[in-house]
Amino acid sequence: MMVDGVEDEEKWLAAGIAGLQQNAFYMHRALDSNNLRDALKYSAQMLSELRTSKLSPQKYYQLYMRAFDELRKLEMFFKEETRRGCSIIDLYELVQHAGNILPRLYLLCTVGSVYIKSKEAPAKDVLKDLVEMCRGIQHPVRGLFLRSYLSQISRDKLPDIGSEYEGDADTVNDAMEFVLQNFTEMNKLWVRMQHQGPAREKDKREKERSELRDLVGKNLHVLSQIEGVDLDMYKETVLPRVLEQVVNCKDEIAQCYLMDCIIQVFPDEYHLQTLEILLGAFPQLQPSVDIKTVLSRLMERLSNYAASSTEVLPEFLQVEAFSKLNNAIGKVIEAQADMPILGAVTLYSSLLTFTLHVHPDRLDYADQVLGACVKKLSGEGKLEDNRATKQIVALLSAPLDKYNDIVTVLKLSNYPSVMEYVDSETNKVMAMVIIQSIMKNNTQISTADKVGALFELIKGLIRDLDGAAHDQVDEDDFKEEQNSVARLIQMLQNDDTEEMFKIICTVRKHILTGGPKRLPFTVPPLVFSSLKLVRQLQGPEENPFGEEGSTTPKKVFQLLNQTIETLYGVPAPELALRLYLQCAEAANDSDLEPVAYEFFTQAYILYEEEISDSRAQVTAIHLIIGTLQRMHVFGVENRDTLTHKATGYSAKLLKKPDQCRAVYACSHLFWVDDQDNMKDGERVLLCLKRALRIANAAQQMSNATRGSTGSVTLFVEILNKYLYFFEKGNTQINAAAIQSLIELITAEMQSESNSPDPAADAFFASTLRYIQFQKQKGGAVGEKYEPIKV
């Protein structure tokens, strides 16, 4: 049926256009022969096509535009006629004899346009006459297009200030009165459309009305263009009259569109000075009107106006814009008890943006808006509407964007309360926004209270909310979030050591609630922040004034020990071992031998009990050796114990090459360059000989299993260690030992069972070149290397 209806409409439109064109043809012929009577006859018949009721507004518009073009030509003819001496008054009378009222009124408007231009009568009288006569058409669509035509032909002929049609002193009032009257009548026709036809076609009528709304709105645009309509006139007459029409029509579509029209077409300054009148209309609108959008646009316009120049800000204070808007929003929400939560949140979001633009220094205003939003949200539970959630994010992001400073935002007491109403996903999004703001602006958060408040805000990243399961989380997103938290922890800093210790304790309290998956990301930055504090504290072990609460390195190390222990449950033994060794090194720098020994003990326990993977063991043992080599705080007994353990672990590694490398690395534990009491050449040599035996065993094992001895790389590595200690002055390592090792490697390489290894060959050749180079140096170095034959 719908298809049939569309096809019928196309036929009716085609028939209407054909009839219009046919009569237009005869009208043109009459115009060409200056036959006024025939011209009027055919033009009236042409315009009779506009009397149809069978076309939708869209199709009717197409027909109207054809007629409009023809009427322009007719108007030109009327002008020519008056120039040739035809009385315009007679012409004005003559067109009123047309048989049908609609063609008569179109012709009357057309002649009226020429009448005003001739200035034979005041423009206001002609306009008043025309606007009154148009009441003769009460069919909504035909009436709207007729009045639209009247508006179109009269807009450049209004008796405005400075206009050629300006009359006496009250001339602007007449122009304003004409436009307002036309607007009122058009709106009545437009609203009436809603109540014509069966209820089942309500959606169709609403669609048709939305297609015609611009015809009504153009009147407001014309009003805003009248030069003589100043602020006083707008305030006293225009706005009250327009609002009266808007409120009294009690039509949802008209109210929503016209309120938006008022906001868009009149100047910002006018809105600011008439804020009370404009806002007073909102609670009187129909409950179904989308007030949130209209009010939001008003606040957006005023915000942009405030941002355009600082000179206008005093005007906002003068009219108390914030309190008026705040009260109006309160009244609207109160009046519309069933307003969806999205509407209320959108209004508060727009009000907050307005407040931040106009009163950036009034944090109490911003907090007041957030408080009102919390009040509206209370009892709602977590928001489930995605659009409402987006508005909450916009609301919470606005202060961050404006102040670029989370410290300022933390002063807003209601800010965290608003975040309570978003789901865990949105909480995470908001937390990332907050962290990115801190990073971007390099914000310093320097007190434990502020850190506590901040971590409460970003708790969506710190711990699981609502029991959310990890398996629902994208792994890459999770890593990015936790790395952001880690960077944030590194940024927290205060030069006051007492306050910094409180900050560390506060962060620790929060991150320990994060569960095993988060700790490997968040514990390391906390450990390194604590070690930074230790460096600040380095000096006397206890506070010289003996204050009980004072922070000491020992106190920080105790906290660190407890913190790293939490990684046991993750489990992340390798990470914990690394952190223990870092702490041991820091304790060494603070001259705290018992503390450093305790950290090493913990690292050894972890190595023995938790690290079973052979690769992980190799990495761990080299870390232990490297750290222990740098320690100077240990006494002979403690150092011997730790060194003995490290060499023992090295010899027990699974693979022979790993054993060999770890054992020769242990040689450095007995020879520390800048520590004379830590140079034991004999034990260095023992380590290197042991490494040599292990390398030899590796060769034999390879020969037994593969039929070839494998690479000589291990021997060349040991040779390099020999050369290192030889140069450092270890008397236990002499030229003869190096010579015999070179010969051993050469023999191995020439052995039939040796499998070729170009890398090992190059390494050995490079080592020999180095010896040759040292010999050529001459002096003490050359003399030392002279006995070695290469």
Side-chain angles (χ1 to χ4, degrees), residues 219-288:
N219 288 288
L220 297 180
H221 184 69
V222 172
L223 265 177
S224 71
Q225 300 295 308
I226 298 175
E227 290 288 335
V229 175
D230 57 9
L231 178 58
D232 289 336
M233 192 179 284
Y234 176 77
K235 192 174 189 175
E236 298 301 322
T237 311
V238 174
L239 185 61
R241 288 269 298 275
V242 173
L243 288 177
E244 181 188 8
Q245 179 58 35
V246 172
V247 172
N248 290 342
C249 75
K250 296 195 182 321
D251 177 79
E252 175 198 340
I253 296 173
Q255 288 182 339
C256 190
Y257 171 67
L258 293 174
M259 288 302 281
D260 194 38
C261 248
I262 293 167
I263 289 162
Q264 298 302 334
V265 301
F266 292 105
D268 299 324
E269 184 193 353
Y270 286 16
H271 293 323
L272 190 58
Q273 297 301 330
T274 57
L275 204 49
E276 205 156 0
I277 305 168
L278 187 56
L279 294 173
F282 280 97
Q284 301 174 57
L285 302 180
Q286 296 299 99
S288 51

Side-chain angles (χ1 to χ4, degrees), residues 290-435:
D290 183 13
I291 290 180
K292 73 171 188 310
T293 305
V294 184
L295 249 176
S296 295
R297 281 186 186 148
L298 172 62
M299 288 186 275
E300 190 183 334
R301 275 206 71 166
L302 292 174
S303 297
N304 292 339
Y305 181 48
S308 65
S309 166
T310 49
E311 291 166 18
V312 301
L313 289 177
E315 291 178 38
F316 283 86
L317 298 170
Q318 195 180 340
V319 300
E320 297 179 334
F322 170 74
S323 70
K324 283 176 184 171
L325 284 165
N326 196 19
N327 292 337
I329 287 171
K331 282 178 185 168
V332 165
I333 290 172
E334 205 176 305
Q336 299 193 4
D338 56 349
M339 178 189 274
I341 202 69
L342 168 65
V345 173
T346 305
L347 285 174
Y348 286 124
S349 180
S350 300
L351 179 59
L352 184 61
T353 306
F354 168 83
T355 309
L356 295 169
H357 271 101
V358 180
H359 307 288
D361 51 333
R362 293 297 299 265
L363 282 175
D364 55 327
Y365 282 179
D367 209 26
Q368 202 177 324
V369 177
L370 291 169
C373 190
V374 170
K375 190 177 173 187
K376 179 65 186 169
L377 290 166
S378 62
E380 286 290 328
K382 300 284 183 191
L383 290 178
E384 290 179 3
D385 181 344
N386 282 340
R387 292 176 303 159
T389 303
K390 277 182 184 170
Q391 283 300 326
I392 288 277
V393 170
L395 177 85
L396 293 167
S397 302
L400 285 170
D401 294 341
K402 180 64 185 173
Y403 297 121
N404 289 332
D405 181 9
I406 189 67
V407 176
T408 307
V409 175
L410 289 172
K411 291 175 187 170
L412 302 169
S413 59
N414 288 304
Y415 194 89
S417 308
V418 179
M419 279 191 79
E420 293 297 324
Y421 292 96
V422 296
D423 58 36
S424 55
E425 263 320 298
T426 311
N427 200 304
K428 282 185 189 179
V429 170
M430 208 52 237
M432 285 297 280
V433 169
I434 290 168
I435 292 177

Side-chain angles (χ1 to χ4, degrees), residues 124-143:
K124 64 175 184 175
D125 293 345
V126 180
L127 290 171
K128 188 176 181 185
D129 195 29
L130 291 173
V131 82
E132 287 291 342
M133 282 197 178
C134 284
R135 286 186 184 210
I137 302 295
Q138 288 299 307
H139 182 280
V141 175
R142 295 201 290 267

Side-chain angles (χ1 to χ4, degrees), residues 772-786:
Q772 194 67 43
F773 177 69
Q774 294 296 84
K775 285 172 80 170
Q776 288 167 3
K777 270 188 179 175
V781 176
E783 196 177 313
K784 194 171 187 178
Y785 273 88
E786 190 54 44

Side-chain angles (χ1 to χ4, degrees), residues 168-183:
D168 49 30
D170 291 332
T171 184
V172 174
N173 282 333
D174 297 316
M176 178 191 70
E177 194 59 46
F178 164 75
V179 180
L180 279 172
Q181 196 175 340
N182 201 39
F183 161 71

